[in-house]
């Protein structure tokens, strides 16, 4: 019984630490989702971007570059399909507006493996 209790406690502690690390690095609380979606973007040639989380806020991963386009250009094309155009950029925060004046603000970051888009 002691061994089972220790294993359960160890599992809970490891899961909690994994959630904290995942949330700090990617904003996604589910570490399995983070790893799965990042690997999907990195290794699947057909996946240009993926949605990793919709609630409580939207988080997406994309390729850092594809077909001669930068991650910024990939994000701009995605937002254009959603009906938004870039209106402002302040550091890593990009603001997009649609024709009705609605705004979407995205925290944008990129490294050599993936680009992270976090709606704020």
């Amino acid at each position: 019984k002691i061994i089972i209790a220790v294993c359960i406690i160890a599992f809970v502690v490891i899961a909690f630490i994994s959630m904290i690390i995942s949330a700090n690095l990617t904003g996604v609380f589910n570490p399995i989702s983070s790893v799965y979606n990042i690997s999907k973007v990195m290794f699947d040639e057909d996946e240009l971007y993926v949605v990793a989380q919709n609630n409580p806020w939207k988080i997406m991963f994309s390729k850092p570059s594809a077909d001669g386009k930068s991650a910024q250009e990939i994000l701009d094309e995605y937002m254009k399909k959603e009906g938004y155009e870039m209106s402002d950029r302040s550091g890593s925060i990009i603001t997009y507006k649609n024709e009705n004046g609605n705004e979407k603000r995205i925290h944008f970051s990129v490294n050599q493996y993936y680009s992270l888009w976090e709606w704020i």
Side-chain angles (χ1 to χ4, degrees), residues 47-96:
E47 292 291 341
L48 196 55
Y49 46 79
V50 294
V51 177
Q53 172 179 297
N54 276 316
N55 290 318
W57 54 86
K58 188 173 185 178
I59 296 177
M60 293 179 67
F61 298 109
S62 82
K63 293 188 181 304
S65 63
D67 301 327
K69 297 177 190 169
S70 69
Q72 169 76 50
E73 292 169 327
I74 295 170
L75 174 60
D76 289 342
E77 285 181 6
Y78 172 79
M79 292 305 290
K80 190 170 190 168
K81 288 179 189 174
E82 297 291 315
Y84 289 84
E85 294 286 333
M86 185 170 75
S87 65
D88 187 33
R89 178 166 186 158
S90 178
S92 64
I93 306 296
I94 305 171
T95 304
Y96 291 90

Side-chain angles (χ1 to χ4, degrees), residues 3 7 12 14 19 21-22 31 33 41 53 65 72 74 94 102 116:
I3 293 173
C7 288
V12 169
I14 290 170
M19 284 176 55
I21 291 171
S22 177
S33 175
V41 164
Q53 172 179 297
S65 63
Q72 169 76 50
I74 295 170
I94 305 171
N102 297 330
L116 176 65

